[in-house]
Amino acid sequence: MAAERTLAILKPDCVRKDLIGEVTRRIQEAGFKIRAMKLVQLSRAEAEGFYAVHKERPFFGELVDFMTSGPCVPMVLEKENAVADYRTLIGATDPEEAAEGTIRKLFADNKGQNIAHGSDSIENGRLEANYFFPEFEIINNGG
Ligand code: ATP
Ligand code: MG
């Protein structure tokens, strides 16, 4: 059986800061295999759909504004325990609360603009991967 997968997004602030390589290197050094990856500009409808679970929250408009403010880089990552390990690697939602050495602690400006997204469950990882990538864009035979 394939190792666990998660859906990561390098958010528009990560792309604007020219940190795609830096953050991707840290992800790979942590043992994740990239199974899909691309640069995309989300429409408002696409960002609203992706974060639909938060649509009643007060920050929803701000979140959609931010996620559509420039291109982002969704990627499917694979590793044993990928969902939890990737969330550990990026750190808490608010960089001020994130552990030292985590991606958000190192690179994020604030809770809204926090560099990276990670799925919060295996099932959501699968749904989110399918949101961005058709089946033929996800690699199943990588080493
Ligand atoms: P993500 O889903 O992006 O990986 P997360 O799971 O750590 O982040 P969620 O609670 O799912 O956090 O919130 C989704 C995103 O909404 C956060 O990453 C952040 O960009 C934004 N967000 C959450 N809470 C706030 C807030 N209080 N103010 C502004 N933005 C927020
Ligand atoms: Mg979340």
Side-chain angles (χ1 to χ4, degrees):
M1 200 185 83
E4 191 172 303
R5 288 178 173 179
T6 192
L7 188 279
I9 305 175
L10 309 185
K11 295 185 180 184
D13 54 338
C14 183
V15 176
R16 262 193 297 279
K17 290 179 172 182
D18 289 337
L19 289 171
I20 295 173
E22 173 67 37
V23 174
T24 302
R25 181 180 66 77
R26 287 170 184 271
I27 290 168
Q28 291 182 298
E29 280 185 1
F32 294 88
K33 294 293 184 193
I34 297 169
R35 297 303 189 210
M37 183 175 187
K38 60 186 171 187
L39 184 69
V40 291
Q41 170 66 56
L42 294 181
S43 67
R44 288 197 78 80
E46 287 160 348
E48 286 168 359
F50 183 76
Y51 278 120
V53 66
H54 295 309
K55 66 176 182 296
E56 306 301 336
R57 309 280 287 275
F59 59 81
F60 186 66
E62 184 189 323
L63 175 59
V64 172
D65 287 346
F66 170 57
M67 291 302 292
T68 57
S69 67
C72 63
V73 180
M75 49 175 100
V76 176
L77 302 177
E78 185 175 296
K79 179 184 172 302
E80 296 300 329
N81 206 34
V83 170
D85 284 0
Y86 177 73
R87 287 180 71 90
T88 300
L89 180 69
I90 63 177
T93 309
D94 186 341
E96 287 186 18
E97 292 164 17
E100 291 298 329
T102 59
I103 286 168
R104 284 167 166 169
K105 180 70 169 190
L106 286 166
F107 304 120
D109 290 338
N110 54 59
K111 192 172 187 177
Q113 310 213 357
N114 60 3
I115 297 286
H117 162 81
S119 307
D120 59 11
S121 69
I122 294 173
E123 174 61 6
N124 281 338
R126 197 181 60 74
L127 293 171
E128 291 177 3
N130 292 339
Y131 194 83
F132 281 104
F133 298 100
E135 201 55 47
F136 70 90
E137 288 185 9
I138 304 176
I139 304 306
N140 285 310
N141 60 353

